C-alpha cells in the first residue's frame, strides 16, 4: 500500500510541478505528517525531492527531473476508458486505479498539454443520471465486474418482485443506462439482462468460460432495448391533441412511445388539432401519462380509457369546486 502511495506522490509532484503538504495530503487521503514521512522516504531512495518552508513553499522535484514510472498497467489502461465517468469507475472498483492512471498520463504529457488536460478536467463534468434520479445501491457490482474482466462464471441471487431466484451466468458486459447499471450475461444458451441493484449475491463458481466470438455488447444492448420498449407498450389510445401542445407528450411518456405516437400524427385540421395514436404499458399508466395535457387532449378510443379520464377529471373538479 505504501509503495503504491509513494509512486502516486511522485507522479503528483511531476504532474503539478509542486504542491503544499496539505494539498498532497488531501489528494492522497492521508495526514500531513504521513506526506512528510513519504517525502523523506522518496529522498532516501534517491529521488531529488525537497521541501520549501514558508509562504509559497511546498514539496517540489528538482527542475528537469522526470520519472520513468509512466507506463500503464493493464487495469489502469482499462480504467482510462472510464476517465469521463469517475462515478462509474468507482462503482466498478476502479476508482483508485483510475486516479493513478490519470496521474501517469499527466506525468507523461509535455507541460503545455498537461496544462490543457488539467483545464478541461476543471471545466467539464459529466453527470449521467437524469434529474431527481436516486442512484441504485449496487453492493455486488464490484464482484460482478471482477468476474467480467476475467471471464469467470458467477452464481448470483437475483431479486424479483415476488421472490429471489438463483442463477448461474457468464457475465458478458455491463451497461449503464440513465445512471442504472445492468449486467448482460449468458444463462445457458440465452443472453439476458439483469438490473445490478437486484443482484443480492454474486460468487465465482471457480469455472471460466469462453465469450461468444460473435457477441458485440453495443449492438446487443441496442436491439434488446428496442425489443423491450416495444414489448411493454401493449395498449393503444386514439386521441386528438392540440398541435401546439403535442410536445407535452414527452413529459410523462416513454421515449419509444413518444416516437411511435409522433410518427402516427395526422396533419393539423382546421381547428389546429391532430389525430394521434399513443402506445402505453396499460390503460391505467397511460391515463396518468396523458392527464398532464389537460384540456389540450381528448381521448377518443378505447371507451374504458375515455371513461377513466372523465372520472379523474370529475373527481378533480369536485375536489377544487365542492358543492356549496
Amino acid at each position: 500500500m505504501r509503495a503504491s502511495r509513494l509512486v502516486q506522490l511522485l507522479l503528483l509532484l511531476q504532474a503539478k510541478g509542486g504542491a503544499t503538504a496539505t494539498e498532497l495530503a488531501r489528494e492522497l487521503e492521508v495526514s500531513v505528517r504521513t506526506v512528510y514521512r513519504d517525502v523523506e522516504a522518496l529522498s532516501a531512495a534517491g529521488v531529488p525531492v525537497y521541501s520549501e518552508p514558508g509562504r509559497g513553499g511546498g514539496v517540489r522535484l528538482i527542475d528537469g527531473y522526470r520519472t520513468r514510472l509512466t507506463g500503464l498497467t493493464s487495469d489502469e489502461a482499462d480504467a482510462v476508458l472510464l476517465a469521463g465517468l469517475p462515478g462509474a469507475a468507482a462503482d466498478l472498483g476502479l476508482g483508485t486505479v483510475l486516479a493513478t492512471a490519470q496521474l501517469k498520463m499527466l506525468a507523461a504529457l509535455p507541460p503545455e498539454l498537461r496544462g490543457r488536460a488539467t483545464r478541461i478536467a476543471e471545466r467539464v463534468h459529466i453527470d449521467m443520471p437524469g434529474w431527481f434520479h436516486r442512484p441504485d445501491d449496487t453492493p455486488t457490482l464490484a464482484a460482478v465486474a471482477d468476474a467480467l474482466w476475467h471471464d469467470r462464471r458467477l452464481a448470483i441471487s437475483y431479486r424479483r418482485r415476488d421472490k429471489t431466484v438463483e442463477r448461474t451466468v457468464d457475465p458478458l458486459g455491463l451497461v449503464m443506462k440513465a445512471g442504472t447499471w445492468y449486467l448482460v450475461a449468458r444463462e445457458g444458451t440465452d443472453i439476458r439482462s439483469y438490473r445490478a441493484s437486484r443482484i443480492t449475491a454474486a460468487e465465482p463458481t471457480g469455472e471460466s468460460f469462453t465469450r461468444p466470438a460473435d457477441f458485440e455488447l453495443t449492438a446487443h444492448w441496442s436491439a434488446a432495448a428496442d425489443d423491450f420498449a416495444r414489448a411493454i407498450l401493449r395498449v393503444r389510445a386514439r386521441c386528438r391533441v392540440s398541435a401546439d401542445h403535442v410536445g407535452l407528450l414527452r413529459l410523462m411518456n416513454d421515449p419509444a412511445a413518444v416516437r411511435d405516437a409522433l410518427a402516427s400524427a395526422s396533419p393539423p385540421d382546421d381547428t389546429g388539432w391532430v389525430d394521434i395514436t399513443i402506445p402505453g404499458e396499460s390503460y391505467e399508466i397511460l391515463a396518468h401519462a396523458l392527464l398532464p395535457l389537460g384540456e389540450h387532449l381528448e381521448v377518443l378510443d378505447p371507451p374504458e380509457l375515455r371513461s377513466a379520464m372523465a372520472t379523474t377529471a370529475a373527481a378533480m373538479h369536485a375536489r377544487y369546486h365542492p358543492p356549496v
Side-chain angles (χ1 to χ4, degrees), residues 3-119:
S4 174
R5 191 176 68 242
L6 290 175
V7 171
Q8 194 171 5
L9 172 58
L10 180 54
L11 293 171
L12 272 170
L13 292 173
Q14 184 168 308
K16 292 176 175 291
T20 67
T22 301
E23 291 170 341
L24 292 170
R26 185 167 55 249
E27 289 273 5
L28 298 171
E29 298 181 350
V30 296
S31 67
V32 171
R33 180 176 297 179
T34 297
V35 168
Y36 283 123
R37 282 202 298 264
D38 287 350
V39 168
E40 289 178 3
L42 286 176
S43 180
V47 176
V49 59
Y50 64 97
S51 299
E52 287 184 334
R55 186 179 181 87
V59 181
R60 304 183 186 283
L61 292 170
I62 289 178
D63 289 345
Y65 176 82
R66 295 186 66 80
T67 175
R68 296 181 181 275
L69 296 175
T70 52
L72 299 182
T73 67
S74 58
D75 285 345
E76 291 163 355
D78 291 341
V80 167
L81 296 177
L82 295 169
L85 299 170
D91 287 346
L92 299 177
L94 294 172
T96 302
V97 175
L98 174 61
T100 303
Q102 289 173 328
L103 280 173
K104 287 185 176 182
M105 292 184 68
L106 282 175
L109 292 173
E112 63 275 10
L113 293 183
R114 190 186 314 151
R116 181 175 178 83
T118 303
R119 286 196 299 275

Side-chain angles (χ1 to χ4, degrees), residues 162-174:
D162 55 342
K163 61 182 178 180
T164 297
V165 297
E166 308 298 323
R167 295 286 185 265
T168 300
V169 301
D170 299 337
L172 301 178
L174 282 164

Side-chain angles (χ1 to χ4, degrees), residues 269-285:
D269 62 18
D270 293 341
T271 63
W273 285 57
V274 301
D275 289 334
I276 198 167
T277 299
I278 306 170
E281 294 182 48
S282 68
Y283 290 130
E284 179 182 9
I285 292 175

